[in-house]
């Protein structure tokens, strides 16, 4: 008999992985039911116990309100749980193939404490079929328990949008699913207890997995289309922003803008779907074409900046270039798969001296992850070229004139994000 009751009266939840997805989830459940937040990173656990979140997704007050939440890096502390929710990262490897090692490791850890009647719910983004083809077999093999006889599973894809203070976990509709109809109902009830926006119960785990992976694939393709249009309009000497503003007057025009596509979701998830498609013998042309366009936009930005510098007779070799922003998106410290790194590498390839400034990003993390030493302040009149790569509110608060003043008397200001008034910038995407 499944131990998860509709009213949560006997639910004890363990959230495995306390990053951008897992921590807000653990905090919400900890308001209502006994919850243990688990992470293998002892430093992360120590900061969370101090009610500090380096990702800036959870405020100190929320920790105080989550009175039934505890944190641990000790697997033995999971022994009392009967609901396990897995929220570990699912990146891609250097060949752009799914890297499932963290997911498999989490499944193996759960197998050490899972008991008959327990439920395991996965939230990590995967390709359709991965939960039942990759994760569940690990638990069965390591625990000796049989799926849908001794323990059960569900899948509820995460929809966290880092840095977004308006669309928070409770206010985003949650897709749910379960390995049996009864489990699906109970998983849905579990999430409905914390999701004020409501839930959508999918007919199967595979449907829920597929729904998640196409959400970001669709967004990736929409941005790729606008990026390709920007490349065309540049050659036609037409301002892309003006074109988008004109087209946007139609009620059903989608308001996407050109830009760098990084992060842990949009730049990664499509490869999970294309991997599975190729595994079953189908070559996805449109999805991969969009990925190729988006993956080359950093190179295009640097190429344009260098041409503009040359036109102004600014020597590229030994020039000083300032890149504003390192995070993959605005108002967020997340640097996973940030395409700003590609900007840095490409400028360095032409022997330019690059400074990167981002008040949101942990300098130690930037150095450890990418070998980039960020600067801790800005100096006027210092740069031959400035690239606004991320539209942090801090940069917008500075204002266009202050950003212009960072450049030398003769310099290039390139606005990747279309965030500054056109009269202040040399060019933009």
């Amino acid at each position: 008999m499944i131990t998860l009751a509709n009213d949560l009266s006997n639910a004890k939840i363990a959230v495995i992985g306390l990053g951008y997805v897992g921590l807000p989830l653990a905090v919400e459940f900890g308001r209502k039911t006994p919850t243990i937040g688990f992470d293998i990173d002892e430093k992360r656990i120590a900061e969370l116990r101090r009610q500090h979140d380096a990702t800036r997704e959870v405020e100190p007050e929320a920790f105080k309100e989550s009175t039934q939440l505890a944190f641990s890096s000790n697997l033995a502390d999971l022994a009392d749980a009967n609901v396990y929710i897995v929220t570990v990262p699912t990146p891609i490897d250097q060949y752009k193939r799914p890297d499932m090692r963290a997911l498999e490791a989490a499944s193996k850890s759960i197998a050490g404490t899972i008991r008959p009647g327990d439920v395991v719910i996965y939230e990590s983004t995967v390709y359709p079929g991965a939960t039942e083809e990759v994760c569940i077999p690990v638990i069965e093999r390591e625990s000796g328990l049989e799926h849908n006889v001794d323990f059960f599973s569900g899948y509820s894809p995460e929809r966290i949008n880092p840095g977004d203070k308006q669309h928070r976990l409770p206010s985003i509709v949650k897709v749910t699913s379960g390995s049996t109809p009864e489990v699906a109902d109970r998983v849905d009830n579990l999430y409905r207890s914390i999701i004020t926006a409501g839930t959508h119960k999918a007919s199967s785990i595979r449907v829920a997995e597929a729904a998640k992976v196409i959400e970001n694939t669709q967004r990736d393709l929409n941005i790729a289309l606008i990026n390709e249009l920007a490349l065309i309009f540049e050659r036609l000497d037409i301002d892309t922003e003006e074109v988008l503003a004109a087209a946007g007057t139609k009620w059903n025009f989608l308001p996407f803008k050109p830009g760098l596509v990084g992060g842990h979701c949009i730049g990664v998830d499509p490869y999970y779907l294309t991997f599975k498609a190729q595994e079953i013998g189908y070559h996805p042309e449109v999805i991969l074409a969009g990925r190729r366009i988006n993956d080359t936009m950093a190179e295009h930005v640097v190429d344009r900046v260098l041409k503009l510098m040359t036109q102004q007779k600014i020597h590229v070799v030994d020039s000083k270039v300032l890149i504003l922003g390192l995070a993959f998106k605005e108002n967020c410290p997340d640097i996973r798969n940030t395409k700003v790194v590609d900007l840095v590498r490409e400028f360095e390839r032409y022997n330019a001296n690059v400074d990167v400034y981002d008040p949101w990003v942990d300098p130690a993390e930037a150095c450890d992850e990418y070998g980039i030493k960020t600067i801790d302040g800005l100096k006027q009149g210092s740069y031959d070229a400035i690239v606004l790569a991320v539209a942090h509110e801090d940069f917008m608060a500075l204002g266009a004139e202050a950003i212009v003043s960072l450049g030398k008397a003769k310099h290039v200001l390139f606005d990747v994000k279309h965030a500054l008034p056109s009269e202040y910038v040399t060019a933009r995407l």
Side-chain angles (χ1 to χ4, degrees):
M1 181 178 178
I2 302 173
T3 57
L4 176 59
N6 287 352
D7 61 1
L8 303 182
S9 61
N10 61 355
K12 296 180 180 178
I13 298 171
V15 178
I16 316 298
L18 298 176
Y20 287 87
V21 175
L23 179 62
L25 191 69
V27 167
E28 288 303 322
F29 276 123
R31 298 173 189 267
K32 296 178 178 293
T33 192
T35 303
I36 180 79
F38 175 85
D39 201 289
I40 60 174
D41 186 344
E42 294 181 0
K43 180 181 176 182
R44 174 70 166 160
I45 294 299
E47 76 171 26
L48 294 178
R49 285 173 173 167
R50 297 194 305 269
Q51 299 186 343
H52 171 70
D53 174 26
T55 70
R56 307 194 195 186
E57 290 299 304
V58 175
E59 300 296 332
E61 190 62 33
F63 285 104
K64 296 175 184 178
E65 295 170 355
S66 188
T67 57
Q68 300 187 67
L69 173 62
F71 298 107
S72 178
S73 58
N74 187 348
L75 283 172
D77 291 335
L78 302 180
D80 290 337
N82 50 34
V83 179
Y84 299 87
I85 304 179
V86 180
T87 60
V88 298
T90 46
I92 52 176
D93 64 19
Q94 60 179 323
Y95 305 107
K96 303 188 186 303
R97 298 176 306 192
D99 182 349
M100 309 280 277
R101 287 177 296 177
L103 208 53
E104 292 172 348
S107 300
K108 186 174 181 179
S109 296
I110 290 170
T113 59
I114 195 170
R115 295 168 300 182
D118 290 356
V119 178
V120 184
I121 304 168
Y122 291 88
E123 289 212 4
S124 306
T125 301
V126 291
Y127 53 79
T131 298
E132 293 157 304
E133 296 168 7
V134 177
C135 303
I136 297 305
V138 172
I139 298 177
E140 287 185 313
R141 182 178 67 249
E142 298 293 330
S143 70
L145 300 179
E146 184 178 350
H147 185 227
N148 283 339
V149 175
D150 301 312
F151 74 98
F152 305 86
S153 64
Y155 183 80
S156 181
E158 60 89 3
R159 281 177 165 171
I160 294 295
N161 187 25
D164 188 338
K165 300 305 180 184
Q166 178 180 358
H167 301 98
R168 310 302 294 166
L169 175 65
S171 63
I172 303 172
V173 174
K174 201 83 163 70
V175 175
T176 67
S177 63
S179 55
T180 71
E182 181 183 17
V183 173
D185 288 341
R186 293 172 183 252
V187 169
D188 193 68
N189 287 334
L190 175 71
Y191 281 103
R192 273 199 282 120
S193 71
I194 63 167
I195 305 297
T196 56
T199 60
H200 175 93
K201 186 171 62 176
S203 62
S204 69
I205 287 176
R206 287 166 61 88
V207 167
E209 291 169 326
K212 168 57 182 175
V213 81
I214 72 166
E215 289 176 13
N216 287 322
T217 299
Q218 182 187 66
R219 185 168 177 80
D220 188 44
L221 286 171
N222 279 323
I223 298 173
L225 171 62
I226 301 301
N227 275 336
E228 187 165 51
L229 291 174
L231 298 178
I232 295 171
F233 295 145
E234 177 198 342
R235 287 159 174 79
L236 293 172
D237 195 26
I238 299 175
D239 188 297
T240 301
E241 187 171 31
E242 290 185 12
V243 174
L244 294 177
T249 59
K250 189 180 181 190
W251 73 91
N252 59 352
F253 185 82
L254 300 178
F256 286 91
K257 289 187 176 182
L260 305 178
V261 183
H264 184 62
C265 294
I266 300 178
V268 173
D269 294 357
Y271 288 119
Y272 273 75
L273 184 57
T274 57
F275 168 82
K276 188 63 177 179
Q278 291 167 332
E279 188 178 67
I280 60 174
Y282 179 80
H283 180 72
E285 297 182 15
V286 175
I287 298 172
L288 289 175
R291 281 280 73 236
R292 284 192 295 271
I293 291 171
N294 287 340
D295 276 345
T296 60
M297 289 307 293
E299 181 180 342
H300 171 72
V301 168
V302 172
D303 183 61
R304 287 193 65 188
V305 172
L306 296 181
K307 286 180 178 177
L308 291 165
M309 292 173 68
T310 302
Q311 288 168 2
Q312 294 194 39
K313 297 182 180 180
I314 301 172
H315 292 293
V316 173
V317 175
D318 289 330
S319 62
K320 291 199 66 177
V321 176
L322 172 65
I323 297 179
L324 293 173
L326 179 60
F328 89 91
K329 63 176 293 187
E330 65 275 3
N331 307 326
C332 168
D334 193 350
I335 61 173
R336 292 175 297 173
N337 194 38
T338 173
K339 292 302 178 182
V340 179
V341 172
D342 294 352
L343 292 178
V344 177
R345 302 287 184 254
E346 194 68 12
F347 276 120
E348 290 177 340
R349 197 164 71 85
Y350 288 91
N351 295 310
N353 299 303
V354 183
D355 283 348
V356 179
Y357 177 70
D358 194 322
W360 283 78
V361 168
D362 180 356
E365 185 181 0
C367 190
D368 291 344
E369 188 71 21
Y370 299 112
I372 293 176
K373 295 182 179 179
T374 58
I375 60 174
D376 57 9
L378 297 170
K379 187 177 179 181
Q380 291 185 340
S382 299
Y383 296 99
D384 298 294
I386 303 168
V387 178
L388 178 62
V390 186
H392 287 316
E393 56 188 18
D394 307 62
F395 300 152
M396 297 303 96
L398 279 177
E401 290 186 0
I403 293 175
V404 169
S405 72
L406 300 172
K408 297 177 181 179
K410 185 166 60 176
H411 71 277
V412 169
L413 172 55
F414 194 94
D415 182 6
V416 173
K417 300 296 293 184
H418 287 235
L420 302 174
S422 59
E423 60 266 27
Y424 289 96
V425 304
T426 311
R428 56 193 178 192
L429 276 179

